[in-house]
Amino acid sequence: GGGVESCPDLVHHLKWVRRAHKADSDLRRLRRRLERTDEGLVPRFRTLLRLLGQWDYVRGWSLTAKGEQLRFVYNELDLLLTEAVSRGMFDDLNGSELAAVTSMFTYEARRLDAGQPAPPGEVGERIKQIDRLGLELTAAERGAGLPETRLPEAGFASTAYAWASGHDLEDLFDDDMGAGDFVRNCRQLIDVMRQLRDEFPRLAASAADGIRKLDRGVVAAGGRS
């Protein structure tokens, strides 16, 4: 009796199905890598579990408090993002500053950046801290023989900070060529900042402020299209 819809854990299962779909490309890449080696999936899983244990996300087969938070972060750099939050790298930032720092986890350069200066104040130091944390994680993954997480990128931080601080689009671009990529990057950034707002209570007020400052003008219009 009772179908799938009667399962008391259906919502929990559906969340993991969603995450599995989002990770599909990573799984295919991992499968190809496994096919080129003599390693099986079980040894690789045990290695990943050991790494998560070393970083205090699991104890045995149970999730820690950080592990529970990681479950609800949907981002390519989810472990790095959760760890950066845990280490206080997002604390005590206003909305514009938080937007700049968070952009490191959503932006991926398509070409060489022109070397924009870091936003002023504390943001530049937070960017350096997150860069170092990214190197720490990839070193741990490399040492364990796991696929390495891509490093965070600060190439959109100054633009995100300027937009969230109230600058007009004309202040950021000389022409309309970059507007499409700009809107796409802002929408991705807003999505992750909503996760920060909803899953990390001490960041909720600052994240909500940053979302409000980002989601205006062409960016808001892009979200409605």
Side-chain angles (χ1 to χ4, degrees), residues 81-107:
L81 176 61
T82 306
E83 186 65 20
V85 173
S86 174
R87 296 194 189 190
M89 295 177 186
F90 289 79
D91 290 355
D92 303 317
L93 298 175
N94 64 37
S96 300
E97 293 168 337
L98 185 65
V101 172
T102 305
S103 74
M104 297 181 71
F105 297 86
T106 60
Y107 178 72

Side-chain angles (χ1 to χ4, degrees), residues 9-213:
D9 295 322
L10 179 61
V11 172
H12 172 74
H13 292 161
L14 287 176
K15 287 176 181 175
W16 281 100
V17 168
R18 177 189 172 197
R19 185 162 191 175
H21 282 305
K22 288 173 70 67
D24 186 54
S25 62
D26 291 334
L27 289 172
R28 285 199 300 270
R29 186 166 62 248
L30 176 59
R31 189 178 299 117
R32 288 195 298 270
R33 189 169 297 185
L34 287 172
E35 287 170 353
R36 294 196 297 267
T37 71
D38 293 327
E39 279 189 82
L41 186 59
V42 172
R44 180 63 60 91
F45 177 74
R46 287 174 177 160
T47 301
L48 177 59
L49 201 61
R50 278 197 300 273
L51 177 65
L52 290 173
Q54 291 165 2
W55 284 57
D56 194 32
Y57 284 84
V58 297
R59 290 195 189 103
W61 290 100
S62 299
L63 293 172
T64 64
K66 285 201 303 183
E68 289 288 350
Q69 288 179 321
L70 178 63
R71 288 175 52 209
F72 298 101
V73 175
Y74 300 97
N75 177 260
E76 182 185 1
L77 307 184
D78 51 1
L79 177 58
L80 185 62
L81 176 61
T82 306
E83 186 65 20
V85 173
S86 174
R87 296 194 189 190
M89 295 177 186
F90 289 79
D91 290 355
D92 303 317
L93 298 175
N94 64 37
S96 300
E97 293 168 337
L98 185 65
V101 172
T102 305
S103 74
M104 297 181 71
F105 297 86
T106 60
Y107 178 72
E108 195 166 0
R110 295 186 175 183
R111 59 184 182 276
L112 290 175
D113 290 316
Q116 291 186 349
E122 183 65 19
V123 175
E125 180 56 36
R126 303 297 177 93
I127 286 172
K128 292 176 185 176
Q129 291 175 5
I130 291 168
D131 279 336
R132 288 193 292 267
L133 180 60
L135 293 172
E136 182 182 340
L137 175 58
T138 55
E141 291 169 333
R142 187 164 55 250
L146 291 166
E148 294 178 29
T149 302
R150 76 165 178 86
L151 292 173
E153 297 186 32
F156 193 65
S158 291
T159 302
Y161 180 83
W163 179 254
S165 298
H167 287 254
D168 294 330
L169 200 62
E170 293 77 14
D171 299 331
L172 305 180
F173 302 103
D174 294 330
D175 51 43
D176 294 332
M177 294 298 290
D181 281 345
F182 166 75
V183 170
R184 176 180 56 81
N185 280 307
C186 281
R187 297 310 312 174
Q188 292 173 344
L189 174 54
I190 288 169
D191 179 61
V192 173
M193 290 189 68
R194 284 175 176 153
Q195 295 175 45
L196 295 179
R197 178 196 64 193
D198 296 343
E199 303 303 332
F200 300 93
R202 72 177 187 268
L203 302 180
S206 182
D209 180 52
I211 292 165
R212 194 162 49 246
K213 290 176 175 177

